[in-house]
Amino acid sequence: MSDIATACALGRHVNSGSGPSLLPLDIGHTEYLALTDPATAFWALVRKDRLAETLTGGPLLDRYRAHAAEFARELHGLRFELKPSAVYVNPTERCNLDCTYCYIPREMRRAGEHMPTKRLLDALERLKDYFVTVMPAGRKPRVIFHGAEPLMNREALFAAIDAYRDDYIFGVQTNATLLDEEALNFLTERQVSIGLSLDGPLAEITDATRRTWGGKSVHNKVLDTMERLRGYRAWSVIATCTAKNLDQLVPLVELFHARGVPTCMLNAVRCTMPGARTVRPADDVLATHFIAALERSHALYRESGRKLVVANFANILLAILAPTARRLMCDISPCGGGRAFFALAPDGGLFPCSEFIGLPAFEGGNLFSDSVGDILASPAFAKVTGRDVDKFAPCAHCAIRHFCGSPCPAEAHEMNGGMDRIGAFCGFYEEQVRYALRLIADGKANDFLWDGWDEGVETCFQVTLQ
Amino acid sequence: MSQIVTPTPSTEQTRQPATSGTQPAAVIATRQRCDADGVGLSHYILMDRKPAQ
């Protein structure tokens, strides 16, 4: 074998043979662009005037070569080797609101069934039996009561929390309208995490997408509940970003910050159901307003010393800085649906995620008649857990595909025609990643992450070259 | 390129500006890790890694 052939086999050169594959990415920064190896979620920020020098060799490439296989293994483990540790439980099909974008079919929300108390207790027992087989000793699985509106079936919900308080960590995502004093005391005394929903700083904004079946506003009720939760350890608010509230995202984060909300999510509307698509914002407009809201949250932090973490964006930052530390499993491929968590419908049907509960083709089986293991391996679940951005265009060639994961498979399937399609907001995620990389370049990333996020986290790669 | 900052057990990279004086660093690359324990949902409410037990 000649010297030249040997040299090539050693991976000496970037983007040829077995050398590192590094894609340049314009992040919109005056000084820097990014280089990424999407196969390992590796990234570096390189000053524009040093790009050629960096790509032709030197310490960055030497160090990356030494770590690339380790990063690939780490990413593979995160993407394919997790076991479920959480379940979304819908204890009722009913809801007292008729929100524009809900993923639960309208007729189900209006006149659906409650899960009887005895049945819910049986479900948690069966789930407990499953989780003990896949989770390490000493760790509790998580149950999130979700909707429809879980407090419509309050008696069963509270009975389940009391019966299994030693076996699960509980959370409730609620529209807040049924959280009276007694309910709030019950949940807070038991340290149940509480998530509320509010779409605007003013009633007329919230009312555009969230209202009762009779058309009544719930805005003030949510504000009242927020006030009563002030100071509680574990609560958050979700705002759904639609074409109806984009220009109100800045005042909305001001309201959240003023009312002591510790964490919020500014979620792009999930476009799984046709109704949601009627309020779908354009990607670039959404990105502009979303980033303005992030900037405002940062200014408020600098002024007050108190953070309002926008958790869905923080998770994008974590996907870049510390992939295994990410907490949300939507922006990863395959997503967490059906592999990190799954969802239980009131009739016992199991789905990869709540987002699929209105889509019968994605029911993997029934908790009361099938084994959870069999359901997780079912063809219905495999459609979701098998959605891999490495395998379809344009994601397969995208420099940031493992920072975004092309959420969400339900949207891809229902809105764009298949699991091998992008989700509803490709351009929005692209802008979030570019903004996150700009924050890293400017040394501001930590301001957007929750305090203590790095407990138990270690630095495994750090190169700074002058 | 003159200086390599070796790995350290801190998150300082995320806290400090990338500039040194008036000259920005030529290259910034960092990665951190922890056990991927499967704590991952689609909502924030239960994301605490060490929630009250």
Side-chain angles (χ1 to χ4, degrees):
Chain A
M1 187 178 288
S2 72
D3 289 345
I4 291 175
T6 304
C8 291
L10 290 173
R12 184 167 295 169
H13 306 294
V14 168
N15 296 333
S16 69
S18 57
S21 297
L22 294 172
L23 299 176
L25 174 69
D26 174 14
I27 62 170
H29 194 277
T30 54
E31 300 282 353
Y32 293 99
L33 56 69
L35 293 176
T36 77
D37 184 347
T40 63
F42 173 77
W43 60 271
L45 297 171
V46 181
R47 219 169 66 208
K48 293 175 182 175
D49 62 342
R50 306 290 282 273
L51 179 62
E53 181 184 350
T54 301
L55 285 172
T56 50
L60 178 71
L61 296 185
D62 291 345
R63 296 285 293 282
Y64 178 52
R65 282 190 186 92
H67 284 82
E70 160 198 335
F71 292 168
R73 281 194 301 274
E74 177 186 272
L75 189 63
H76 186 274
L78 188 64
R79 298 181 61 212
F80 299 108
E81 296 171 0
L82 297 181
K83 296 291 186 184
S85 61
V87 57
Y88 286 91
V89 174
N90 285 23
T92 180
E93 294 176 335
R94 292 185 211 165
C95 187
N96 55 340
L97 301 193
D98 182 27
C99 302
T100 307
Y101 44 69
C102 189
Y103 52 80
I104 306 287
R106 205 159 185 257
E107 60 277 16
M108 193 183 280
R109 284 182 281 122
R110 184 195 285 272
E113 297 296 321
H114 288 330
M115 183 183 273
T117 300
K118 187 177 175 186
R119 190 85 158 158
L120 180 57
L121 295 173
D122 185 13
L124 292 194
E125 187 67 26
R126 289 169 184 263
L127 290 167
K128 178 182 162 186
D129 291 343
Y130 165 72
F131 282 119
V132 78
T133 67
V134 294
M135 291 187 65
R139 276 191 58 206
K140 293 180 184 177
R142 293 149 193 255
V143 165
I144 304 94
F145 292 109
H146 204 261
E149 172 49 48
L151 284 163
M152 294 283 282
N153 193 8
R154 170 171 163 161
E155 181 183 333
L157 187 72
F158 287 2
I161 290 171
D162 264 344
Y164 286 92
R165 60 192 301 179
D166 294 332
D167 302 301
Y168 293 100
I169 300 167
F170 286 107
V172 178
Q173 181 67 36
T174 171
N175 62 33
T177 59
L178 303 174
L179 268 178
D180 57 25
E181 204 64 35
E182 182 187 355
L184 211 53
N185 289 340
F186 178 92
L187 295 173
T188 56
E189 285 168 3
R190 289 158 181 78
Q191 295 293 300
V192 174
S193 295
I194 300 171
L196 309 181
S197 299
L198 188 75
D199 283 1
L202 304 169
E204 65 194 73
I205 305 301
T206 300
D207 297 351
T209 46
R210 302 183 61 80
R211 56 200 170 266
T212 68
W213 290 98
K216 291 183 179 175
S217 174
V218 298
H219 181 83
N220 289 334
K221 172 64 180 170
V222 181
L223 291 186
D224 176 59
T225 304
M226 288 170 60
E227 200 56 42
R228 287 185 289 147
L229 280 169
R230 189 191 284 265
Y232 183 53
R233 184 190 62 86
W235 69 292
S236 61
V237 184
I238 292 178
T240 299
C241 302
T242 70
K244 302 288 188 182
N245 67 356
L246 285 189
D247 62 352
Q248 296 296 313
L249 295 183
V250 168
L252 185 59
V253 298
E254 290 171 344
L255 180 146
F256 287 166
H257 189 269
R259 288 176 178 261
V261 176
T263 308
C264 72
M265 295 178 74
L266 304 178
N267 288 343
V269 61
R270 281 273 180 255
C271 295
T272 306
M273 291 295 173
R277 291 170 221 153
T278 64
V279 290
R280 179 189 181 279
D283 285 60
D284 54 347
V285 183
L286 172 58
T288 298
H289 289 286
F290 180 85
I291 290 172
L294 292 173
E295 296 270 288
R296 184 65 185 131
S297 75
H298 187 243
L300 290 167
Y301 167 55
R302 287 292 173 94
E303 292 167 13
S304 68
R306 181 166 51 83
K307 287 180 180 175
L308 165 65
V309 176
V310 181
N312 50 313
F313 177 71
N315 209 61
I316 295 284
L317 266 173
L318 282 185
I320 298 169
L321 292 168
T324 50
R326 69 177 88 200
R327 310 289 176 86
L328 297 172
M329 298 298 277
C330 292
D331 45 13
I332 185 171
S333 171
C335 74
R339 66 182 190 94
F341 56 82
F342 50 86
L344 173 66
D347 66 356
L350 284 187
F351 295 80
C353 171
S354 298
E355 198 67 30
F356 289 97
I357 281 183
L359 307 172
F362 289 91
E363 181 173 348
N366 193 291
L367 178 65
F368 300 109
S369 56
D370 304 306
S371 83
V372 174
D374 288 347
I375 294 171
L376 293 176
S378 67
F381 272 50
K383 281 187 280 191
V384 177
T385 58
R387 181 173 182 264
D388 181 349
V389 290
D390 287 344
K391 296 179 179 173
F392 59 84
C395 301
H397 304 290
C398 176
I400 58 171
R401 63 181 180 270
H402 291 306
F403 301 144
C404 115
S406 191
C408 142
E411 291 175 322
H413 192 270
E414 294 300 301
M415 174 180 165
N416 291 337
M419 288 298 184
D420 58 349
R421 307 294 171 85
I422 60 172
F425 292 102
C426 178
F428 173 54
Y429 278 90
E430 187 180 19
E431 292 307 318
Q432 285 189 80
V433 171
R434 296 174 76 238
Y435 179 64
L437 288 164
R438 293 199 294 275
L439 291 178
I440 295 169
D442 292 336
K444 297 177 180 173
N446 206 57
D447 291 356
F448 291 79
L449 298 169
W450 45 87
D451 294 333
W453 75 270
D454 52 354
E455 288 176 15
V457 174
E458 64 174 6
T459 299
C460 56
F461 189 92
Q462 186 163 314
V463 173
T464 306
L465 305 176
Q466 296 297 336
Chain B
M1 296 181 185
S2 59
Q3 183 183 1
I4 301 173
V5 178
T6 54
T8 56
S10 76
T11 57
E12 200 60 19
Q13 183 62 54
T14 62
R15 298 196 174 105
Q16 296 299 321
T19 54
S20 173
T22 56
Q23 179 73 326
V27 174
I28 304 161
T30 183
R31 185 168 173 129
Q32 289 153 267
R33 71 173 164 219
C34 58
D35 290 337
D37 56 13
V39 176
L41 301 164
S42 62
H43 289 70
Y44 174 75
I45 52 174
L46 281 178
M47 292 198 308
D48 292 352
R49 220 161 250 281
K50 295 175 183 173
Q53 298 291 309

